[in-house]
Amino acid sequence: MSHHPSATPTAADQIAYLDTAAATAVGRDYKRRALDALDLRPGHTVVDVGCGPGTDLGRLADAVQAGGRVVGVDSDARMLAEAGRRLTDRPTIGLRAGDAHALPLDDTSMDRARIDRVLMHVADPAMVLREVRRVLRPGGVLALTEPDWDTLAVADEDVRTSRGFARFVAGRVRNATVGRELVRLSARAGLRVRSVEAIAVVFRDFDTADRILGLRRNSARAVAAGALADADVQPWLRRLTNGPLLAGFTLYLVTAEA
């Protein structure tokens, strides 16, 4: 599953993107908070729904220790192949090809579940959450992290172009506002919401912002689509490149219980 708001990149592009996002300071911070929210214990079984190239499976395995079990599920064979390559020496981690809408897991077989920036891409987030509810044992915990792309803001004197860029990016994501919908969707799936955090994802560095938000890539696409004028975009990009840069969006971290 691709986790960034752009066209269909190659597998290598997607994997590099996921690695980059995870390695940023804000990426490390929210992932640590989501891991804490799961309250993992030795011996737990945990599923990472949409595990991608296995970015976080090692950390989950460390937490559940030798007596626990971690299952990474993804629909993308290339992601699973990369995860398998990275995790050959981790016997407690299993990888399964599967659709998040129909998890290849038994009812009430998991103590914990994790979904990180996956619901923004799926066809039916509500169905995915019902599936997670099915595989979690009673009292099992789910940690969800999803962005709200409608909150994307790029600071610049040309507010119109910044807004146009933000709208264009949000328009490229299937479920752009799913972050703010997690509470409602979780409750509807029969999960009890335990906590909600709104995390401000802030970028001050052009290169990092460009990699994560696609400032150059997506503004070029917006011009090609007729959503923005090149005469506005070029000076806008120049100012952002020269800095000081400030851009950000809101990421929601929701913890829910089966």
Side-chain angles (χ1 to χ4, degrees):
M1 290 174 189
S2 162
H3 293 51
H4 63 121
S6 72
T8 48
T10 66
D13 285 344
Q14 284 179 271
I15 290 164
Y17 174 85
L18 294 173
D19 287 345
T20 300
T24 59
V26 73
R28 288 194 305 270
D29 177 59
Y30 91 77
K31 283 176 181 291
R32 181 185 52 72
R33 285 155 82 162
L35 192 63
D36 290 347
L38 274 178
D39 188 27
L40 290 168
R41 303 292 165 86
H44 271 160
T45 55
V46 55
V47 58
D48 189 0
V49 179
C51 65
T55 313
D56 302 294
L57 297 177
R59 254 181 241 109
L60 298 174
D62 291 342
V64 301
Q65 298 180 13
R69 190 163 59 90
V70 176
V71 181
V73 177
D74 206 285
S75 58
D76 189 329
R78 302 163 307 173
M79 290 288 174
L80 288 174
E82 177 64 14
R85 193 183 65 70
R86 293 179 180 188
L87 300 162
T88 45
D89 58 338
R90 304 296 296 256
T92 60
I93 299 175
L95 299 171
R96 297 198 190 166
D99 183 349
H101 301 85
L103 292 170
L105 297 167
D106 294 336
D107 293 3
T108 65
S109 59
M110 293 286 137
D111 297 303
R112 299 289 186 266
R114 173 184 181 279
I115 302 180
D116 181 0
R117 293 170 306 134
V118 172
L119 294 180
M120 68 189 217
H121 299 293
V122 301
D124 188 344
M127 186 187 285
V128 173
L129 289 176
R130 286 196 298 275
E131 271 295 276
V132 171
R133 170 85 175 76
R134 177 184 67 78
V135 304
L136 276 176
R137 66 163 174 76
V141 176
L142 164 66
L144 294 161
T145 43
E146 297 287 339
D148 185 332
W149 285 110
D150 265 7
T151 63
L152 175 59
V154 181
D156 185 68
E157 63 196 47
D158 181 356
V159 175
R160 200 166 54 85
T161 296
S162 289
R163 279 185 181 146
F165 173 82
R167 272 199 300 273
F168 182 80
V169 169
R172 297 178 70 81
V173 181
R174 183 182 247 163
N175 306 308
T177 60
V178 74
R180 74 180 75 160
E181 292 157 18
L182 293 176
V183 168
R184 179 174 55 80
L185 290 169
S186 297
R188 200 171 278 178
L191 295 156
R192 189 174 67 79
V193 173
R194 295 207 317 197
S195 65
V196 183
E197 273 189 83
I199 299 167
V201 178
V202 176
F203 301 99
R204 297 286 310 281
D205 166 68
F206 180 85
D207 289 336
T208 308
D210 191 32
R211 284 200 300 272
I212 305 301
L213 304 175
L215 296 171
R216 283 186 285 230
R217 182 180 67 241
N218 282 323
S219 60
R221 287 182 179 136
V223 169
L228 291 175
D230 194 53
D232 296 328
V233 163
Q234 292 312 318
W236 179 80
L237 277 175
R238 259 197 312 279
R239 287 189 298 270
L240 296 181
T241 311
N242 294 334
L245 178 125
L246 178 68
F249 61 89
T250 304
L251 183 82
Y252 285 94
L253 166 56
V254 170
T255 315
E257 189 178 306

